[in-house]
Amino acid sequence: MMKIRFAIIAVVLILSIGSLSAKKAPGFIIKHNCDTIFGEVNISFFDPYSGGFVFYGINLEPFQSVLYFREKNSTRFTAFTPKDIAGFGFTYKSVNYRFKTLLVEYRSIIKSERKRLRFLNLIYQGQLALYKEIVRKESYFTTGAPNRLVDYYDYYLYDDKHGLKRVIPTKEFRTLKDMLQFYGIHPNFIEILPSDARFKDVKYFLEEYDLWKRWLYYYL
């Protein structure tokens, strides 16, 4: 009797873990020829770095390098990398997630790693698109030695004319105003930006700019 009970508990645990580890969400992929194919996206809630499960939200970091997708009326998921498709999207719990294939430049002593294709997560779309990349780095805070991984976020501005630029101070862009001016933001809006506008607040200023343009259009 006890063996039967333990067997039932084991089956329930296996099924529960299976339901926690992954879910399906309606989504699509965009091919390089701009064709859109609809189907389902596999969302994994298992975190290979910690060996645990993600209970709140979605672990978006794995999506930056690979997507598991199946077309409608298909039973098998196929892995897609940034080389294979131009982008993808899906909806989970009424939130739309969009990713675009972009060539990202990195500082690396290894030449082959200085430029890589990545799926970047679109977090704002107005006159300019703002993308986010999740970067996991080792933490040294508690022991002075790497003991756990911490998520950091890099932000990128993009438009078809000027391409992709990481939102950080550089020799080319010493201030956020310099960067927004490069991307063609209206000079009158640039003038009213605070001189100490922070790069990490770029999303806020893009939202303010699009509101400012609508207000200008309304009153002119």
Side-chain angles (χ1 to χ4, degrees):
M1 189 68 178
M2 289 296 292
K3 289 183 178 180
I4 295 174
R5 184 176 297 174
F6 282 125
I8 293 172
I9 293 172
V11 170
V12 171
L13 286 173
I14 291 171
L15 292 175
S16 298
I17 292 173
S19 65
L20 282 173
S21 62
K23 291 184 182 294
K24 315 299 184 291
F28 60 88
I29 60 173
I30 301 174
K31 291 188 170 184
H32 290 299
N33 64 3
C34 296
D35 285 349
T36 301
I37 298 176
F38 293 92
E40 285 186 318
V41 170
N42 187 67
I43 303 174
S44 176
F45 291 89
F46 177 73
D47 187 346
Y49 295 99
S50 67
F53 294 97
V54 178
F55 292 100
Y56 302 101
I58 299 178
N59 178 19
L60 294 177
E61 194 271 340
F63 284 112
Q64 297 175 155
S65 56
V66 64
L67 166 75
Y68 291 94
F69 175 83
R70 69 181 177 191
E71 296 184 36
K72 286 184 177 179
N73 303 320
S74 176
T75 58
R76 301 183 65 178
F77 281 89
T78 301
F80 292 92
T81 69
K83 292 181 180 179
D84 302 321
I85 55 176
F88 67 91
F90 62 91
T91 302
Y92 181 71
K93 291 189 175 180
S94 301
V95 178
N96 294 320
Y97 297 88
R98 300 290 181 265
F99 290 79
K100 182 181 178 68
T101 299
L102 291 163
L103 185 63
V104 182
E105 295 184 1
Y106 299 95
R107 293 179 180 176
S108 175
I109 60 173
I110 303 172
K111 187 175 180 180
S112 61
E113 294 185 359
R114 291 174 188 169
K115 291 184 178 182
R116 283 190 292 161
L117 284 173
R118 301 282 279 170
F119 290 132
L120 295 189
N121 179 208
L122 177 68
I123 61 171
Y124 184 76
Q125 180 66 67
Q127 177 175 319
L128 303 178
L130 181 65
Y131 290 90
K132 178 175 73 174
E133 181 184 27
I134 301 170
V135 181
R136 287 189 165 170
K137 298 180 181 179
E138 292 176 324
S139 170
Y140 293 79
F141 291 128
T142 56
T143 63
N147 49 29
R148 66 188 183 95
L149 293 172
V150 176
D151 286 349
Y152 294 88
Y153 303 102
D154 288 334
Y155 296 96
Y156 295 85
L157 282 175
Y158 176 84
D159 70 6
D160 292 335
K161 181 179 179 181
H162 302 91
L164 188 74
K165 297 285 186 182
R166 186 179 171 192
V167 185
I168 55 172
T170 63
K171 290 182 179 179
E172 184 180 9
F173 308 119
R174 296 187 180 276
T175 67
L176 181 61
K177 295 174 73 168
D178 293 337
M179 175 169 271
L180 295 179
Q181 188 173 18
F182 169 80
Y183 273 98
I185 296 298
H186 198 287
N188 290 349
F189 183 79
I190 296 291
E191 286 183 7
I192 64 175
L193 277 178
S195 58
D196 59 347
R198 299 182 301 179
F199 283 87
K200 68 178 183 178
D201 294 329
V202 60
K203 184 173 181 286
Y204 167 78
F205 289 113
L206 290 179
E207 292 170 341
E208 288 295 302
Y209 176 60
D210 289 322
L211 287 172
W212 178 83
K213 282 198 305 179
R214 286 196 289 270
W215 176 85
L216 199 65
Y217 176 79
Y218 179 80
Y219 284 100
L220 290 182

